[in-house]
Amino acid sequence: MESSFFTISMLNGVSYGLLLFMLSSGLTLIFSMMGVLNFAHASFYMLGAYVAFTTAELVGFWPALLVAPLVVGGVGALFEKYCLRRVHKFGHVPELLITFGLSYVLLELVQLVWGRSAVNYRVPAALDGPLFTIVSSSASGLDFVWRQAPAQLCNSVDPSVVVSCTQFPAYRGFMMLVAIFMLVAVWLLLTRTRIGLVIQAALTHPETVEALGHNVPRVFMLVFGGGAALAGLAGVIGGNAFVTEPGMAATVGSIIFVVVVVGGMGSLAGAFLASLLIGVIQTFAVAVDYSLVNLFSYAGWAITPETFGYPVLRLTVSQVAPILPYLFLVLILIFRPRGLLGTREG
Amino acid sequence: MSNVTNFHFKPYNVGRWIIWGAYALVLLIAPLLFSSSLSTTMLSQMGIAIIACLAYNMLLGQGGMLSFGHAVYSGLGSFLTIHTLNMVSNGELQLPVSLMPLVGGLAGLAFAVLLGYVTTKKAGTPFAMITLGIGELVWAMSLMFPEFFGGEGGITGNRVTGKGWFGISFGPQIQLYYLIAVYCFVCTALMFAFTGTPLGRMLNAVRDNPERVEFIGYNTQRVRYIAFILSGFFAGISGGLAALNFEIVTAEVVGAGRSGAYLLFVFLGGATFFFGPIIGAVLMVIAFVLLSELTKAWLLYLGLVFMFMVMFAPGGIASLIMMNVRVAAYGKLRRLWPAYAKLAATALLMLAGAASMIEMVYHLQLNEALGPEMRFLGLTLNTKGVGTWLGATVVLAIGVGLFEWARRRFAQEWNEVQEEIEHLNRRREAL
């Protein structure tokens, strides 16, 4: 494997994984704090992207980075206050179901406001273009060049020397930066501040916290709003890296559940590990064009379309890439049911 | 141990015979009452949906397992059935068409054996997420194997094949309807019988108190697994019937949308009662066939109705019916009629205001080419006029205000009635 390809794919995988982590961290937070599995979490991500699109049209991308998470967090908090809280007394299943209903409503509302086709939400001009270029030459090895590499570096004069340039987009780097910043901020907030202490205590001893004069329902509302805002933030920076369209919630929706189960329910560190793993595995798989047919022919077996099981043998790794997270989920459940870093069974 | 024989006095359960007789009668005469081709198709779909929703409720209502991927089992049943049908058509296999839904059932069972082993390792919320993952897995696979799943176009078949049987070829829709009706009745009866078996009772116990069940020596995971397999079998039968009914199976039948629909409508119908999913299934077909024709915004309405249902009546329509039956049994329903009428009238007003606004937005977005005028409830609305929007807003505001007023009055009256019933109950117990 070429090392420049490896480096770029690794970085792409890590940045995708970090985006997945931004999504699943909100989900994990809400789940571990309130015991509510928010089925509309990916819808909040979509809402974040759409709100950011509109804000970016009006006032530019940088305000959108702040406005969209606040709007989405507000929507989440209102939903918690007026719908989720009402359902709490019925138990866990209705709590899950009402978020499921919300995912339908949000999808339709987004289509009502922004239409059914993709919107043109683009990367801001300041972050457009490559962050660095890897120039790999068969003569002088690897070379890093910040931003765009000059043209004469990528075209070799000597025909015997093969030179290739691979670029890493600046926006991907920005995504990684935001995700890491968010991770540190959430961690500090939860472990080093008074609010974090109250949140953690409200989870295990709501009555005691209430007796000490804290408003526990409001804490829950803040937690839910905060989780939704994290999803909104992921939407702001994910919406223009990928495509902002009504199907975007469905594409990440089930992956983040896989992340949460694989990492171990309610474990933030587990979610971090699992999202990086899944991000990297999927990014590499998409680029690999080998199938079992190649493997067997390497071993000297001839595989023809008449061979038994040809439709399975023929599949290349890149074709299998979409199901890899789910296969991963199944394997984890068989061999380590509590998840990678989960502490409790069931 | 003494050899004591217990004598049971078991009265003939007249009520049960009446209910099941009425159910059979409804299945029998429904196509005679609604004889247009649209209604026959809809009735056939309802029969199929009833089996699917009841099968789903074996998990949700009886086992407390919230599955987000149940379409996998009905969908794979559909695919196996249509492949079998095509094999019969090509003369590679001999099997009467009337038994083909069983092929679907066995397929659903086999896949439930395979996938359910992983799925039922967990209960509660993780179970819901894992079924979602498995559903996505099968959906992604359906795009990978066009040989089996037929790719975009799906797999087609022809149900008129093999030797006819007493002149029944299953060509006309009405003949297929009666096949579906027979399956529907038998499956409903079997699933009802299951609720009374020791396994069905254990399943309820696993739902209500898994720790205690473990403690007395049962394996909760195995109980869930067996229930999951049985549910997969019935779901597969419904899938097989669907394959015969539509004569085409596309990858959509295993998709998340279908699974979500099962969940939505079983819950709307009422998961806590055995007959709830039947109501849900009927509503599902009506919503999919009629409501989607009527308005483009039907999914929005559906989502909102679902959310309101979860918030205010978590038992679904079935529980609403049973609560009113209880009130009626005490002869107090008549007192509630005026309150109900007010509630319905104000709700309609509110709905008219909200719906006209939603419809206008949809019209602006999708039918721009048709001009700003649109027909709604017999009125011609100008979607670009300020007056129309103002009018709709006023109607909505008045509707919301009056509804809230009527709701409070109703809640008050309803609580009074419930208290009186409780009071009567206590007096009867004291006697």
Side-chain angles (χ1 to χ4, degrees):
Chain A
M1 200 182 287
E2 247 186 290
S3 54
S4 65
F5 163 78
F6 181 81
T7 317
I8 294 290
S9 291
M10 195 68 194
L11 283 168
N12 276 333
V14 168
S15 66
Y16 178 56
L18 283 172
L19 181 79
L20 282 184
F21 173 68
M22 289 181 79
L23 276 162
S24 47
S25 65
L27 192 69
T28 309
L29 259 182
I30 295 175
F31 181 75
S32 61
M33 297 288 159
M34 307 170 67
V36 176
L37 184 65
N38 181 12
F39 232 81
H41 199 74
S43 308
F44 285 132
Y45 161 72
M46 174 172 71
L47 194 64
Y50 273 99
V51 172
F53 161 68
T54 305
T55 323
E57 293 262 286
L58 294 175
V59 287
F61 176 77
W62 302 106
L65 197 60
L66 190 70
V67 170
L70 284 179
V71 170
V72 176
V75 171
L78 286 179
F79 171 72
E80 202 282 332
K81 184 166 183 191
Y82 291 106
C83 302
L84 196 61
R85 198 175 291 177
R86 209 181 269 278
V87 176
H88 183 71
K89 56 179 179 288
F90 302 139
H92 279 322
V93 168
E95 276 180 337
L96 211 170
L97 285 174
I98 197 159
T99 59
F100 178 63
L102 180 71
S103 72
Y104 271 64
V105 172
L106 278 182
L107 176 63
E108 283 298 306
L109 283 179
V110 160
Q111 290 182 345
L112 199 68
V113 178
W114 284 282
R116 274 151 211 273
S117 43
V119 295
N120 185 20
Y121 176 34
R122 268 189 287 180
V123 172
L127 293 171
D128 217 358
L131 180 67
F132 59 81
T133 310
I134 299 180
V135 184
S136 113
S137 153
S138 57
S140 55
L142 283 182
D143 212 1
F144 276 91
V145 181
W146 282 106
R147 307 298 292 193
Q148 187 91 41
Q152 68 265 24
L153 253 166
C154 293
N155 297 318
S156 76
V157 198
D158 186 0
S160 65
V161 178
V162 185
V163 178
S164 72
C165 284
T166 327
Q167 298 175 337
F168 182 72
Y171 195 74
R172 289 262 171 171
F174 173 69
M175 269 169 74
M176 290 162 80
L177 208 67
V178 173
I180 290 168
F181 174 73
M182 188 214 76
L183 167 68
V184 173
V186 168
W187 183 73
L188 285 179
L189 181 79
L190 283 183
T191 54
R192 294 283 183 277
T193 63
R194 186 172 285 273
I195 301 174
L197 282 179
V198 174
I199 289 175
Q200 290 194 347
L203 168 71
T204 46
H205 300 91
E207 286 87 8
T208 319
V209 174
E210 191 112 76
L212 287 172
H214 296 285
N215 188 346
V216 170
R218 203 175 64 197
V219 168
F220 282 160
M221 188 174 97
L222 282 176
V223 168
F224 197 89
L230 289 184
L233 182 64
V236 181
I237 64 164
N240 48 9
F242 303 104
V243 196
T244 302
E245 42 120 13
M248 67 191 288
T251 45
V252 294
S254 37
I255 302 257
I256 55 174
F257 286 117
V258 172
V259 166
V260 171
V261 174
V262 167
M265 297 286 291
S267 156
L268 214 54
F272 184 67
L273 194 62
S275 19
L276 284 186
L277 259 176
I278 286 176
V280 170
I281 288 176
Q282 244 190 332
T283 312
F284 272 97
V286 168
V288 177
D289 220 10
Y290 291 103
S291 67
L292 286 174
V293 174
N294 297 105
L295 186 72
F296 286 143
S297 55
Y298 188 70
W301 296 354
I303 304 281
T304 58
E306 280 76 47
T307 316
F308 178 75
Y310 181 73
V312 179
L313 299 177
R314 179 209 58 187
L315 288 172
T316 58
V317 176
S318 58
Q319 278 174 305
V320 182
I323 68 163
L324 284 180
Y326 309 111
L327 280 183
F328 199 38
L329 167 83
V330 171
L331 290 178
I332 281 281
L333 280 171
I334 292 174
F335 295 110
R336 196 179 159 83
R338 76 177 99 124
L340 288 175
L341 296 182
T343 44
R344 57 194 159 150
E345 191 98 18
Chain B
M1 283 276 274
S2 61
N3 216 351
V4 181
T5 318
N6 287 316
F7 289 98
H8 285 291
F9 172 66
K10 206 172 177 187
Y12 209 56
N13 196 336
V14 184
R16 181 167 291 179
W17 280 98
I18 291 176
I19 288 172
W20 285 96
Y23 184 49
L25 202 67
V26 167
L27 286 174
L28 203 65
I29 64 168
L32 306 177
L33 292 178
F34 306 96
S35 56
S36 73
S37 70
L38 172 69
S39 44
T40 319
T41 342
M42 278 180 68
L43 286 170
S44 308
Q45 291 185 37
M46 281 174 191
I48 295 165
I50 286 172
I51 304 176
C53 288
L54 283 172
Y56 185 82
N57 202 39
M58 278 173 79
L59 298 181
L60 178 64
Q62 286 167 254
M65 288 178 269
L66 182 64
S67 167
F68 281 99
H70 213 54
V72 165
Y73 307 99
S74 62
L76 289 175
S78 281
F79 273 110
L80 264 288
T81 309
I82 200 101
H83 282 299
T84 315
L85 186 68
N86 284 339
M87 279 166 85
V88 171
S89 298
N90 297 338
E92 294 164 32
L93 195 76
Q94 285 290 327
L95 189 76
V97 175
S98 52
L99 292 183
M100 276 193 199
L102 288 179
V103 174
L106 291 176
L109 183 133
F111 282 107
V113 168
L114 186 72
L115 301 174
Y117 174 72
V118 185
T119 324
T120 51
K121 277 197 156 201
K122 299 248 186 160
T125 311
F127 175 85
M129 296 158 87
I130 292 155
T131 50
L132 184 84
I134 298 276
E136 288 291 323
L137 178 73
V138 174
W139 163 250
M141 280 206 179
S142 73
L143 304 174
M144 275 162 44
F145 299 108
E147 290 89 348
F148 183 79
F149 292 99
E152 293 273 306
I155 305 261
T156 52
N158 181 5
R159 67 180 178 232
V160 185
T161 185
K163 280 199 294 285
W165 187 59
F166 294 120
I168 297 172
S169 63
F170 296 114
Q173 185 67 33
I174 188 78
Q175 292 182 0
L176 192 75
Y177 168 77
Y178 279 110
L179 180 74
I180 291 170
V182 168
Y183 269 100
C184 181
F185 187 80
V186 173
C187 287
T188 311
L190 284 176
M191 281 187 262
F192 183 74
F194 172 77
T195 59
T197 59
L199 179 65
R201 292 309 202 185
M202 278 318 295
L203 188 61
N204 291 355
V206 167
R207 170 194 65 193
D208 295 332
N209 202 338
E211 274 162 14
R212 186 173 281 187
V213 171
E214 286 276 359
F215 201 70
I216 54 171
Y218 282 92
N219 185 343
T220 52
Q221 189 180 333
R222 191 169 302 156
V223 174
R224 285 201 305 270
Y225 186 32
I226 298 173
F228 197 88
I229 291 170
L230 288 174
S231 173
F233 174 70
F234 287 112
I237 286 185
S238 86
L241 286 169
L244 291 182
N245 187 37
F246 297 111
E247 296 182 300
I248 180 168
V249 184
T250 55
E252 255 166 60
V253 296
V254 295
R258 188 66 63 94
S259 299
Y262 287 156
L263 165 62
L264 218 91
F265 283 99
V266 165
F267 189 84
L268 278 183
T272 44
F273 291 92
F274 179 79
F275 67 92
I278 299 180
I279 301 172
V282 172
L283 285 179
M284 173 153 86
V285 175
I286 291 175
F288 279 175
V289 178
L290 292 184
L291 196 61
S292 61
E293 280 293 310
L294 212 61
T295 163
K296 287 271 185 300
W298 68 286
L299 270 173
L300 180 64
Y301 295 129
L302 195 64
L304 287 174
V305 166
F306 181 75
M307 280 177 70
F308 276 105
M309 217 54 184
V310 177
M311 282 197 286
F312 297 107
I317 294 172
S319 82
L320 291 181
I321 291 176
M322 290 315 278
M323 280 186 325
N324 282 301
V325 165
R326 179 165 177 256
V327 173
Y330 285 87
K332 294 193 184 295
L333 197 56
R334 195 179 300 159
R335 249 181 61 195
L336 287 172
W337 275 126
Y340 266 127
K342 275 181 218 153
L343 210 60
T346 51
L348 275 179
L349 193 66
M350 187 169 72
L351 202 67
S356 59
M357 288 169 88
I358 293 170
E359 294 298 323
M360 282 196 288
V361 175
Y362 268 77
H363 182 86
L364 280 179
Q365 201 177 71
L366 297 173
N367 299 333
E368 187 114 52
L370 298 178
E373 307 265 295
M374 66 169 263
R375 304 279 304 163
F376 179 69
L377 295 176
L379 295 167
T380 306
L381 300 178
N382 180 8
T383 51
K384 294 241 167 87
V386 182
T388 335
W389 282 94
L390 210 63
T393 319
V394 168
V395 170
L396 177 65
I398 294 175
V400 169
L402 284 178
F403 179 76
E404 187 56 28
W405 169 77
R407 193 187 67 80
R408 286 188 184 163
R409 291 287 297 271
F410 174 77
Q412 199 182 349
E413 200 122 352
W414 176 264
N415 288 340
E416 274 172 25
V417 167
Q418 295 301 321
E419 265 170 35
E420 283 171 28
I421 291 177
E422 289 299 315
H423 188 65
L424 271 176
N425 273 346
R426 274 199 296 276
R427 274 218 347 234
R428 278 182 200 175
E429 272 167 26
L431 280 177

